Amino acid sequence: MSENKPLHIHSYKPTGFIGEYQKLIKDAVIPYQYSVLCDEAQDTEKSHVIANFINAGKALRGEDTADGFYGMVFQDSDAAKWLEAVGYSLAVFPDKGLEKTADELIDIIAQAQDSDGYLNTYYTIKDKDKRWTNILEGHELYCSGHMIEAAIAYFEGTGKDKLLKVMEKNAEHIYDVFISGGHKGYPGHPEIELALLRLYDVTKNEKCLQLAKHFIDIRGVDPHYYEKERQSRNWTVWNGDGKNHHYQQSYAPVKQQKNADGHSVRAVYLYTAMADLASKTDDTELYEACKNLCGSIVNKRMYVTGGIGSTAHGEAFTVDYNLPSDTVYAETCASIGLMFFMSKMLSNEIKSEYSDIMELAFYNTVLAGMQKDGKRFFYVNPLEVIPGISGEAVTHRHALPQRPKWYTCACCPPNVARLISSFGKYAYSEKDDTAYCHMFASGEAAFANGMKFTCDTDYPYDFEVSFKIEKGGKLAVRIPGWANGSYAVYVNNFPRDVAYENGYIYISADDGDNIKLKLQDKINVIYPSVKIPDLSGTVAISRGPLVYCFEGIDNNGSVLDLRLDNKGSFKAVDITDEVLGQTVMIEAEGVRVRDSGGLYSFSEPECENVSIRAVPYYLWGNRGENEMRVWIPKK
Amino acid sequence: MSENKPLHIHSYKPTGFIGEYQKLIKDAVIPYQYSVLCDEAQDTEKSHVIANFINAGKALRGEDTADGFYGMVFQDSDAAKWLEAVGYSLAVFPDKGLEKTADELIDIIAQAQDSDGYLNTYYTIKDKDKRWTNILEGHELYCSGHMIEAAIAYFEGTGKDKLLKVMEKNAEHIYDVFISGGHKGYPGHPEIELALLRLYDVTKNEKCLQLAKHFIDIRGVDPHYYEKERQSRNWTVWNGDGKNHHYQQSYAPVKQQKNADGHSVRAVYLYTAMADLASKTDDTELYEACKNLCGSIVNKRMYVTGGIGSTAHGEAFTVDYNLPSDTVYAETCASIGLMFFMSKMLSNEIKSEYSDIMELAFYNTVLAGMQKDGKRFFYVNPLEVIPGISGEAVTHRHALPQRPKWYTCACCPPNVARLISSFGKYAYSEKDDTAYCHMFASGEAAFANGMKFTCDTDYPYDFEVSFKIEKGGKLAVRIPGWANGSYAVYVNNFPRDVAYENGYIYISADDGDNIKLKLQDKINVIYPSVKIPDLSGTVAISRGPLVYCFEGIDNNGSVLDLRLDNKGSFKAVDITDEVLGQTVMIEAEGVRVRDSGGLYSFSEPECENVSIRAVPYYLWGNRGENEMRVWIPKK
């Protein structure tokens, strides 16, 4: 099988919607997150990430480690995700100052690496003897995985390979421990598998491929590995007993796993690596397993916003069709991981069913994870928020009605930054002589096969996409599922019938051609499966890839009393809001139910006809605490 | 204030619906539960309750305690609740064999009492030195409270006072520890307060009143008592740190508590004692606090079935209007406690708003707690059950789709037995020269004021109630809220205008009169407050005091796809079912939505008109595992 390759980070120059988001990451998120990493941000949780690396270097040199280690066992990964975002960002927005800051951090990180290649500040500072004794909870492999990704991004973005060499050495150290050394463990929090496969792409170091394959192959072969590990050591991080085999995705060898189970971020990171390995090794059995897991998510366990993880208990999947809107988890990182997984499914087969989900997750849950100003973040992305209940009831503590600044466990904010900064890698790819557009992103795209074009669109708010072809070739463009098959293609303003396969259209483009795709511009009413108990009798609305939500601020203060007329008229209204900026509001018809006052009443409450307003879900919670709902009862 | 006294257990001879339930308790529940207590029941959790008492006696005599103590720290209370049910039952159904069994158990219990009056098998067997050191978790006061109630019931039912004397001595011992001895603790699980007030009613021992008042008065005055207690001892039962002041109803002195908070059973047991004490001591300030707490429950935190406790986390109340149907707790014991509380509110003021809730809780959550055959029990009473989710998802583990036989923590089954066996005490009371009928219960009722009548009704399925007066007097009868003010009174078949106050009608009845009350016979559609997010767009139905539910077995296997026409016609249909016996099914109009197959769809699903069938909620789950819903989306 020939390989489907994402666009090189230098080969996509974003403009438009994505360009603005990448600029926000560069201007607001990266500096802000750096101030957090070095504990200079105001009113946020202490981070100590950089101090940890400095102290680890001191520990290795036998110096006093001053204030020691602080934070979660996986604290290192925050630096990695920040560096990764910086690497991508520098490719688009060169910035000598930022590059110098990053270079200095890389120097600090390099000094924290032990002579054998080991790199982890928690163990290096606290207790070297505990290395590799707690694969269940210890996150050594997880942190290495993220730092590998950072090294690749920084290498791709700047051409500098210092961190790449550090991490290749680290990967070889891990190879020595787990393959040469015969360590029986497999990653407690999968992540390094997908990173090693990416490192293999860059370095072609066979050990990286072998090690990734090893971790995937042995996972769940001995489902009791973690329990045995627990019994063999006298320390623990969170008292994990390793008995929850589904939580750990270790209940069976991965090829035999049928349902998306357990911790949702771990699950999709694992599946991403599985899909990538399947593609790299032409392992159809492994790809079949990936298809099952993908089907389990998409057909039975995914929110309409592309969120996954129905419960805060273990930040996990639960069971089929259990999709509560209010007590949901839908971690931002999980939807990022879902994008990774779908992207690697595309490496096996180009099918819009994968890219549709990638887009859904991005424009809804991933973007909702960040405040419009780039300074506050959601970890949990609820589909319903009711002040007084959300964030308050013991069952809703995690579902906050407002984005906090930073978290003790700060995995999501830097994850959003690196994802947005590398959007081009998910939007565009090439395989053989064909250039693929999986998601529409304005800007210039240049492919290794020679093709080059400029994409121009006001997506996700407008549904006309033009490709001005500089260098011709074969172009494949996804027709989104939300368009309901309603689209038209124009080449140099003439309608053109084009080939269509698995949700993609295929066009031969010549130099100078202007290819235009017009997609249905319609507001969709979304009906949930009757099998989802929490959504009985409700509908949601969407326009293009954007799922909408109803907020109190747009509806006279309350949403709980609104009922939507799903057969009424819907209107898209361009607005410019002080906080939200330019966006499209949807006006729908419906009624407002008058409250009877009592908890239960035998009289039907009166209703009045009202206009109901909705904004894109990704913008919710930007204008103060208020009621919010994605799913609204039908009139 | 003159006292409102419940009917003596000997003064009500039940027939009809309640009579049959009391017979079931006598024939099935009491023998079955006894077999559990002595570990002779098949396929149930081990109990060891009686063995614990035997072993405690041995410990006191310095003999080998054989297999020691087994079970929860409050295991003793299972014996108490069983004995209480037996005491009540023997008053109605004399049974020499059962009485002998109970007498023998009482002998065993008496032998487990220490010479100073102390009685608790856990501490007596395991470690005498730990007595009274863990009021937070230790349940010594809770177990004493239940045994006091058992002693009263057995004395009232049989005239035998051996256990009463044991428990009066025990109460005096507690008085010595907490009042004379200056122990600063107050009950971790409130219960003894209400029991002491009942013991005072029977014995007039002032120490009982003083001790109850003491426990109520000091509660929450030092909100940090439990934390200090925890720090002062080196052992714990469940690692409780005493810091959750709302869970413990200790965040403020009880008169200042505004919301029904924390563990719901503990809350209503406490409020019951508060209301009783307020009535006994004419403490209007305390009664005002009770009214606030009652309002908090009834207006903001109660299920339509009379269930309370919205979450399994701490078996507790959460926040206003958070009333999920599927992850609900609604413990059977909590609704029993709510009946207690409402009954004591009636001691302060005769108002149907209290008796309405007492009836609602009884006919729905309390009765639903027990299988029709009396052999299986629900601890948790969900308002929605979906096989595959309920009992399966980590958030739904507690909400079982079928009643288990017995529980490790077996508080609910014997609680149902004692409540049903003493139903007359809640249905009838007297105050000055007036006899009150709070709930309709067929049978003969004789009052201390001389009045005597036979009540005849097919309630809760028929809404005509006749009182054949043997000895006349003033009769006050509640007009249920569900009747919407629609009722008629006939004396000797002639319509009679009668006085009405606070939901009760007042009639002077002469010897030989036949007083008939006809209540509206109508199916009510119930509309939830718009403030309850989980119920948006849904309705429920009820007939008389019975809330109905929709089960798959009556609806071609599925309920999730049904939508009710709340403006359609409703029909009550008498049926006789093999398992359910004689009952009334409701047939309503509605539609069944065809599932589109996918998780989300842009096309509105097709519907077909169907007849929708509902059965009384208390009968749900008797015919195998299936979907069940109380709240159904409107068409």
Side-chain angles (χ1 to χ4, degrees), chain B residues 451-453 467-475 491 496 506-515:
Chain B
M451 194 163 181
K452 192 172 178 184
F453 58 72
F467 300 90
K468 284 171 196 147
I469 309 293
E470 193 174 323
K471 292 284 177 192
K474 287 192 193 161
L475 176 64
V491 178
R496 168 84 59 97
Y506 289 82
I507 313 159
S508 283
D510 293 325
D511 294 4
D513 274 356
N514 187 342
I515 296 169

Side-chain angles (χ1 to χ4, degrees), chain A residues 478-490:
Chain A
R478 162 180 154 259
I479 303 300
W482 59 256
N484 293 314
S486 171
Y487 65 95
V489 180
Y490 301 84

Side-chain angles (χ1 to χ4, degrees), chain A residues 284-557:
Chain A
T284 51
E285 199 188 339
L286 188 56
Y287 178 52
E288 282 302 316
C290 292
K291 285 202 278 188
N292 281 334
L293 293 166
C294 174
S296 169
I297 293 174
V298 173
N299 300 324
K300 293 175 179 174
R301 301 185 175 195
M302 186 183 71
Y303 285 90
V304 74
T305 51
I308 51 174
S310 297
T311 180
H313 293 263
E315 311 180 311
F317 291 103
T318 57
V319 295
D320 291 348
Y321 306 112
N322 174 226
L323 294 160
S325 294
D326 56 345
T327 55
V328 48
Y329 208 67
E331 186 177 337
T332 308
C333 289
S335 286
I336 291 171
L338 182 59
M339 291 182 68
F340 295 167
F341 179 28
M342 292 303 105
S343 173
K344 292 301 175 190
M345 288 303 274
L346 289 170
S347 294
N348 288 277
E349 279 186 284
I350 303 283
K351 284 185 166 181
S352 66
E353 62 191 75
Y354 302 140
S355 24
D356 275 352
I357 300 300
M358 188 162 70
E359 180 180 84
L360 182 76
F362 177 75
Y363 280 108
N364 298 288
T365 300
V366 177
L367 287 188
M370 185 168 70
Q371 192 87 345
K372 195 70 181 23
D373 64 7
K375 292 190 177 164
R376 291 170 169 269
F377 299 87
F378 276 132
Y379 198 100
V380 167
N381 294 282
L383 283 78
E384 174 176 289
V385 155
I386 309 298
I389 296 177
S390 303
E392 297 286 336
V394 64
T395 40
H396 295 63
R397 288 267 161 82
H398 60 288
L400 304 177
Q402 290 279 276
R403 293 173 185 82
K405 282 195 177 171
W406 198 257
Y407 293 84
T408 317
C409 169
C411 58
C412 297
N415 222 349
V416 172
R418 68 162 177 152
L419 190 281
I420 290 176
S421 300
S422 57
F423 188 81
K425 288 182 172 289
Y426 303 92
Y428 295 107
S429 74
E430 62 189 301
K431 188 177 173 186
D432 302 325
D433 60 351
T434 306
Y436 289 90
C437 173
H438 306 293
M439 296 189 286
F440 310 109
S442 279
E444 199 183 275
F447 296 79
N449 64 21
M451 193 163 182
K452 192 172 175 185
F453 57 72
T454 299
C455 175
D456 190 20
T457 179
D458 286 328
Y459 205 81
Y461 287 113
D462 187 80
F463 311 111
E464 207 171 285
V465 186
S466 76
F467 299 89
K468 285 173 196 145
I469 309 293
E470 194 176 323
K471 292 282 175 194
K474 287 192 194 164
L475 176 64
V477 182
R478 162 180 154 259
I479 303 300
W482 59 256
N484 293 314
S486 171
Y487 65 95
V489 180
Y490 301 84
V491 178
N492 303 325
N493 290 319
F494 288 94
R496 168 86 61 97
D497 277 342
V498 290
Y500 176 92
E501 193 186 346
N502 288 331
Y504 282 73
I505 53 170
Y506 289 82
I507 314 160
S508 283
D510 294 324
D511 295 3
D513 273 356
N514 188 342
I515 296 170
K516 193 175 283 176
L517 172 66
K518 284 189 183 181
L519 297 162
Q520 159 190 276
D521 180 359
K522 192 185 144 220
I523 292 157
N524 279 315
V525 178
I526 309 175
Y527 297 86
S529 165
V530 299
K531 292 179 184 145
I532 308 173
D534 290 290
L535 302 183
S536 293
T538 68
V539 293
I541 54 177
S542 65
R543 180 171 177 270
L546 299 178
V547 174
Y548 274 65
C549 71
F550 307 90
E551 284 199 273
I553 193 169
D554 301 314
N555 291 286
N556 279 337

Side-chain angles (χ1 to χ4, degrees), chain B residues 29-321:
Chain B
V29 183
I30 288 176
Y32 175 70
Q33 294 189 350
Y34 184 73
S35 74
V36 173
L37 296 184
C38 36
D39 294 308
E40 285 169 5
Q42 303 293 309
D43 308 326
T44 63
E45 298 277 352
K46 180 176 168 185
S47 160
H48 210 255
V49 169
I50 296 176
N52 286 340
F53 280 102
I54 293 170
N55 290 344
K58 287 181 181 167
L60 289 175
R61 294 188 302 273
E63 296 168 17
D64 175 29
T65 60
D67 50 354
F69 180 90
Y70 173 87
M72 308 294 268
V73 66
F74 48 79
Q75 204 79 348
D76 289 2
S77 63
D78 288 352
K81 282 187 255 188
W82 181 79
L83 270 176
E84 189 182 349
V86 169
Y88 295 136
S89 183
L90 286 173
V92 179
F93 307 105
D95 178 328
K96 290 289 172 206
L98 176 60
E99 191 167 332
K100 183 162 175 288
T101 302
D103 285 343
E104 285 166 5
L105 177 55
I106 288 170
D107 290 341
I108 290 169
I109 292 169
Q111 285 178 39
Q113 183 172 42
D114 209 343
S115 53
D116 61 0
Y118 184 86
L119 175 64
N120 188 294
T121 71
Y122 178 88
Y123 295 87
T124 301
I125 296 170
K126 291 180 89 122
D127 191 348
K128 277 181 69 163
D129 291 339
K130 287 183 177 167
R131 285 181 179 191
W132 308 122
T133 61
N134 188 345
I135 309 303
L136 174 62
E137 306 169 311
H139 281 73
E140 286 156 297
L141 295 172
Y142 171 85
C143 289
S144 283
H146 272 301
M147 200 58 85
I148 287 170
E149 292 200 276
I152 295 165
Y154 204 73
F155 171 67
E156 289 187 343
T158 65
K160 293 178 178 172
D161 67 358
K162 179 167 183 171
L163 189 58
L164 191 70
K165 290 216 162 85
V166 164
M167 293 319 295
E168 196 174 352
K169 183 175 172 183
N170 179 250
E172 292 197 344
H173 168 70
I174 296 169
Y175 183 96
D176 290 344
V177 172
F178 286 84
I179 294 190
S180 315
H183 193 301
K184 302 263 184 261
Y186 45 86
H189 191 316
E191 146 64 25
I192 196 170
E193 302 91 329
L194 73 86
L196 286 166
L197 291 170
R198 297 195 56 207
L199 189 57
Y200 170 72
D201 286 339
V202 176
T203 63
K204 296 297 167 199
N205 183 330
E206 284 290 333
K207 284 185 176 175
C208 298
L209 179 63
Q210 286 170 34
L211 186 54
K213 186 171 180 329
H214 167 78
F215 282 143
I216 290 169
D217 286 348
I218 67 160
R219 182 166 211 95
V221 172
D222 177 5
H224 302 286
Y225 166 74
Y226 295 124
E227 289 150 88
K228 295 175 191 162
E229 180 193 272
R230 176 66 191 94
Q231 282 155 18
S232 74
R233 64 176 143 76
N234 60 1
W235 72 285
T236 153
V237 179
W238 296 292
N239 241 334
D241 59 13
K243 287 181 180 163
N244 194 339
H245 300 170
H246 281 259
Y247 171 80
Q248 300 152 186
Q249 294 91 29
S250 64
Y251 64 96
V254 296
K255 285 183 181 173
Q256 294 167 28
Q257 296 188 16
K258 301 285 180 217
N259 293 319
D261 276 331
H263 187 277
S264 56
V265 175
R266 298 177 192 215
V268 285
Y269 281 8
L270 171 64
Y271 306 158
T272 301
M274 287 164 61
D276 197 2
L277 183 66
S279 147
K280 283 189 164 55
T281 59
D282 285 338
D283 186 339
T284 51
E285 200 190 339
L286 188 56
Y287 178 51
E288 281 303 314
C290 292
K291 284 201 280 188
N292 281 334
L293 295 164
C294 174
S296 168
I297 294 173
V298 173
N299 301 323
K300 295 175 177 173
R301 300 185 174 193
M302 186 184 72
Y303 285 89
V304 73
T305 51
I308 51 175
S310 297
T311 180
H313 293 265
E315 312 180 311
F317 291 104
T318 56
V319 295
D320 291 348
Y321 305 112

Side-chain angles (χ1 to χ4, degrees), chain B residues 537-552:
Chain B
T538 68
V539 292
I541 53 176
S542 64
R543 181 172 177 268
L546 299 177
V547 173
Y548 274 66
C549 71
F550 307 90
E551 285 199 271

Side-chain angles (χ1 to χ4, degrees), chain A residues 297-304 311 313 318-323 326 384 386 388-389 392-396 481-482 484 524-537 542 560-561 563 566-567 593-595 598-605 629 631 633-635, chain B residues 297-304 311 313 318-323 326 384 386 388-389 392-396 481-482 484 524-537 542 560-561 563 566-567 593-595 598-605 629 631 633-635:
Chain A
I297 293 174
V298 173
N299 300 324
K300 293 175 179 174
R301 301 185 175 195
M302 186 183 71
Y303 285 90
V304 74
T311 180
H313 293 263
T318 57
V319 295
D320 291 348
Y321 306 112
N322 174 226
L323 294 160
D326 56 345
E384 174 176 289
I386 309 298
I389 296 177
E392 297 286 336
V394 64
T395 40
H396 295 63
W482 59 256
N484 293 314
N524 279 315
V525 178
I526 309 175
Y527 297 86
S529 165
V530 299
K531 292 179 184 145
I532 308 173
D534 290 290
L535 302 183
S536 293
S542 65
L560 279 178
D561 50 359
R563 309 288 179 260
N566 61 306
K567 296 181 201 292
V593 179
R594 201 164 294 168
D595 197 21
L599 204 50
Y600 308 109
S601 161
F602 294 140
S603 330
E604 183 164 19
R629 260 187 173 167
W631 293 101
K634 278 200 298 178
K635 180 184 149 184
Chain B
I297 294 173
V298 173
N299 301 323
K300 295 175 177 173
R301 300 185 174 193
M302 186 184 72
Y303 285 89
V304 73
T311 180
H313 293 265
T318 56
V319 295
D320 291 348
Y321 305 112
N322 175 227
L323 294 160
D326 54 344
E384 174 176 289
I386 308 298
I389 297 178
E392 298 286 336
V394 62
T395 41
H396 295 63
W482 60 256
N484 294 314
N524 279 315
V525 178
I526 309 176
Y527 298 87
S529 165
V530 297
K531 293 179 183 143
I532 308 173
D534 289 289
L535 303 184
S536 294
S542 64
L560 279 177
D561 50 358
R563 308 288 178 257
N566 61 307
K567 297 181 202 291
V593 178
R594 200 165 295 166
D595 198 21
L599 204 50
Y600 308 108
S601 161
F602 293 140
S603 332
E604 182 164 20
R629 258 187 174 167
W631 293 101
K634 279 199 297 178
K635 180 184 148 183

